[in-house]
């Protein structure tokens, strides 16, 4: 059997260049989820019901476009690669949509919100899906992929923290924050994208034709590690989405801590611990394997969160410890699943003879969005049935208990299910190396 080609280790400069677009792209996500709905509903007078319906319709459109863009980016062939043309096309559209959406005129209604949210979602898909697929293709090496995903996700978290720090600096409210984010995106995104496209080469691939739909689906469904990983990824996404959705409510109503004083610093501390811990998880995965280390990180998070129901009014400093310890496990959630995703794509390449990273990352994008939707869809109706009332501040003891359980114990249950699925994940470093060897033998030009 021919010897396996030794993959090139990316330099730190090239890794940073690839990760840079994650900074402004992450800063874009926060206003879409946090600032925008309330600004349109209250500040612009569109109304909560109309805003909710418009954003739901836009999200359904967003989910539907993911696989289409993923498939098209897999089939594109150009002088500069398959992924870069999409990023180039999506960047100006993303900036344009951000100005229309974040800095509207005073007289707008729900159709305006719906149209420009759909445009910004579509532009974001143009950029994000090829960007993630590009990262999966930068190296065929099991361990190098962990470094690549870690760099990108650390930049994403830094961008999120930067956007989260804007509102406290301004006295203009959500409107001023959104305007400042639009300006930041206008300047930062083109620069970051230009550096990445200039400094980071896209691995050359031969042009490939789209597979027959039936065959493409059969090859995808036959990928056992993919099925196992995406199911675990979805369950873990719900487990992470519930605390994220209920974080502010837990701090304000269970801990009875002032939102303005504690929410921002606690979130910042949580994400900071995730950033600091990410290199540790990467080094650990190089020794023990990505799926085993991810299981360990999820078990660590479970061992931390089971203590949350014991907290009550005034236990803020105990919750600080919870944020620090659970933030450590966040680092593994950020960097290891994307690296594992790149590995299961190799199995598809071996069987199909094609590189379909765009399609696979589109499916993971859909799983991410579904997890967030299910977290909200589970959390808020159950809270309402339990008698929790955040408006009047007169929630029953049962409502507060249910809030604490939804914040902690229910996520633990989802994580344990994800751990059970991941325990049977078969793609180790040795097996992935065998897959790479077979790809080079059977499909040397892909």
């Amino acid at each position: 059997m021919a010897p396996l080609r030794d993959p090139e280790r990316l330099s730190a400069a090239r890794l940073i260049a690839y990760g840079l677009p994650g900074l402004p792209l992450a800063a874009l996500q926060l206003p879409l989820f946090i600032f925008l709905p309330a600004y349109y509903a209250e500040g612009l007078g569109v109304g909560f019901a109309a805003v909710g319906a418009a954003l739901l319709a836009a999200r359904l459109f967003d989910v539907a476009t993911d696989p289409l863009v993923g498939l098209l980016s897999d089939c594109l062939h150009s002088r500069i690669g398959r992924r870069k043309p999409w990023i180039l096309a999506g960047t100006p559209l993303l900036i344009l949509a951000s100005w229309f959406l974040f800095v509207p005129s005073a007289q707008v209604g729900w159709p305006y919100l719906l149209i420009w949210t759909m445009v910004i979602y579509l532009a974001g898909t143009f950029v994000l899906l090829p960007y993630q697929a590009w990262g999966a293709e930068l190296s065929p090496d099991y361990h190098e992929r962990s470094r690549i995903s870690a760099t990108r996700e650390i930049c994403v978290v830094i961008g999120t923290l930067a956007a989260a720090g804007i509102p406290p600096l301004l006295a203009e409210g959500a409107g001023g924050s959104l305007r400042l984010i639009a300006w930041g995106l206008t300047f930062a995104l083109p620069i970051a994208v230009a550096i990445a496209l200039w400094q980071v080469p896209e691995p050359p691939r031969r042009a490939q034709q789209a597979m027959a739909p039936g065959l493409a689906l059969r090859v995808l469904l036959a990928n056992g590690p993919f099925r196992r990983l995406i199911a675990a990824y979805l369950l873990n996404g719900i487990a992470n989405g519930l605390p994220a959705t209920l974080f502010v409510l837990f701090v304000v109503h269970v801990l009875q801590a002032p939102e303005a004083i504690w929410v921002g610093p606690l979130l910042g501390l949580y994400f900071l611990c995730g950033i600091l811990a990410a290199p540790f998880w990467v080094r650990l995965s190089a020794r023990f394997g990505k799926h085993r280390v991810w299981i360990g990180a999820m078990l660590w998070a479970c061992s931390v969160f089971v203590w949350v129901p014991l907290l009550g009014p005034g236990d803020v400093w105990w919750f600080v410890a919870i944020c620090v310890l659970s933030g450590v496990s966040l680092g593994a959630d950020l960097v290891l699943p994307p690296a594992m995703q790149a590995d299961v794509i190799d199995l598809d390449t071996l069987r199909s003879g094609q590189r379909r990273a765009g399609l696979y990352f589109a499916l993971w994008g859909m799983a991410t969005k579904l997890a967030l939707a299910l977290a909200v869809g589970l959390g808020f109706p159950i809270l309402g049935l339990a008698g929790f009332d955040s408006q009047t501040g007169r929630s029953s003891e049962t409502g507060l208990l249910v809030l604490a359980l939804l914040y902690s114990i229910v996520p633990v249950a989802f994580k344990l299910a994800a751990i059970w699925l991941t325990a049977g994940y078969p793609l180790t470093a040795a097996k992935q190396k065998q897959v790479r060897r077979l790809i080079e033998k059977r499909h040397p030009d892909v």
Side-chain angles (χ1 to χ4, degrees):
M1 185 176 288
L4 192 65
R5 293 195 299 268
D6 187 33
E8 178 186 357
R9 182 177 171 86
L10 275 69
S11 67
R14 184 161 287 179
L15 278 175
I16 293 172
Y18 168 72
L20 277 179
L23 290 166
L25 289 172
L28 174 67
Q29 299 301 314
L30 195 69
L32 285 173
F33 289 107
I34 305 298
F35 307 145
L36 193 76
Y39 178 59
Y40 270 77
E42 296 180 311
L44 299 179
V46 178
F48 283 100
V51 167
L55 293 181
L56 175 61
R59 177 57 77 187
L60 293 174
F61 169 80
D62 180 35
V63 171
T65 60
D66 278 2
L68 178 61
V69 173
L71 284 168
L72 290 175
S73 73
D74 284 337
C75 297
L76 181 66
H77 182 67
S78 74
R79 292 172 57 187
I80 61 173
R82 294 189 297 169
R83 313 302 179 188
K84 291 183 177 181
W86 290 91
I87 299 173
L88 278 173
T91 296
L93 183 61
L94 195 60
I95 294 171
L96 177 69
S98 71
W99 276 100
F100 275 93
L101 193 61
F102 295 167
V103 192
S105 61
Q107 301 298 321
V108 297
W110 67 263
Y112 180 97
L113 174 63
L114 173 63
I115 291 170
W116 285 108
T117 304
M118 292 171 64
V119 173
I120 204 167
Y121 279 159
L122 180 62
T125 300
F126 274 24
V127 176
L128 279 170
L129 278 183
Y131 176 60
Q132 292 172 328
W134 179 21
E137 295 168 340
L138 284 177
S139 174
D141 185 68
Y142 179 88
H143 300 301
E144 186 67 7
R145 286 168 171 170
S146 298
R147 293 180 68 230
I148 294 168
S149 65
T151 303
R152 180 185 64 233
E153 298 306 319
I154 287 173
C155 288
V156 166
V157 174
I158 293 173
T160 301
L161 289 174
I166 288 176
L169 299 178
L170 299 177
E172 303 175 42
S177 300
L178 290 169
R179 179 183 293 272
L180 185 57
I181 290 172
W183 275 114
L185 195 69
T186 301
F187 287 101
L189 185 59
I191 294 172
V193 166
I195 292 173
L197 298 184
W198 174 43
Q199 291 293 323
V200 185
E202 185 174 333
R205 306 289 181 198
R206 66 170 171 83
Q208 63 183 43
Q209 299 297 321
M211 298 173 66
L215 176 60
L217 182 61
R218 286 196 299 272
V219 171
L220 190 149
L221 293 178
N223 193 332
F226 159 72
R227 297 197 310 268
R228 185 174 290 272
L229 179 59
I230 197 169
Y233 182 71
L234 174 63
L235 291 171
N236 190 60
I238 298 171
N240 292 337
L242 276 168
T245 301
L246 303 174
F247 181 83
V248 175
L249 295 178
F250 183 84
V251 171
V252 173
H253 296 278
V254 176
L255 301 181
Q256 296 183 10
E259 178 179 349
I261 296 175
W262 284 104
V263 168
L266 286 171
L267 281 174
L269 182 64
Y270 173 73
F271 284 113
L272 178 62
C273 290
I275 293 173
L276 295 176
F280 163 77
W281 295 115
V282 171
R283 287 194 294 270
L284 209 60
S285 69
R287 181 173 180 180
F288 298 105
K290 284 179 275 197
H291 79 282
R292 296 188 186 95
V293 172
W294 189 34
I295 288 173
M298 288 190 284
L299 284 171
W300 172 261
C302 291
S303 69
V304 172
F305 261 71
V306 292
W307 301 102
V308 169
L310 300 179
L311 301 180
D315 290 333
V316 178
W317 289 107
W318 286 110
F319 189 65
V320 169
I322 296 288
C323 290
V324 170
L325 296 175
S326 60
V328 170
S329 68
L330 171 68
D333 280 338
L334 290 173
V335 304
L336 297 181
M340 294 166 67
Q341 291 163 10
D343 296 333
V344 300
I345 295 170
D346 285 340
L347 283 175
D348 183 88
T349 300
L350 178 62
R351 293 165 180 164
S352 69
Q354 298 189 353
R355 292 282 182 180
R356 301 197 293 172
L359 172 61
Y360 273 77
F361 274 91
L363 296 173
W364 274 298
M366 294 173 69
T368 300
K369 294 163 187 175
L370 178 60
L372 292 172
L374 287 174
V376 176
L378 284 171
F380 284 104
I382 293 175
L383 279 179
L385 291 173
F388 179 81
D389 186 354
S390 64
Q391 299 298 321
T392 64
R394 294 193 299 269
S395 297
S396 66
E397 290 187 7
T398 301
L400 292 175
L401 175 61
V402 169
L403 172 59
L405 294 177
L406 285 171
Y407 183 83
S408 57
I409 301 303
V410 175
V412 167
F414 277 105
K415 277 191 179 287
L416 289 175
I419 289 168
W420 177 75
L421 285 170
T422 309
Y425 181 78
L427 204 52
T428 62
K431 291 183 179 179
Q432 192 267 344
K433 192 172 184 178
Q434 292 175 357
V435 171
R436 280 185 50 222
R437 194 185 299 275
L438 290 172
I439 290 174
E440 290 190 2
K441 181 180 179 181
R442 299 179 187 176
H443 313 292
D445 55 347
V446 300

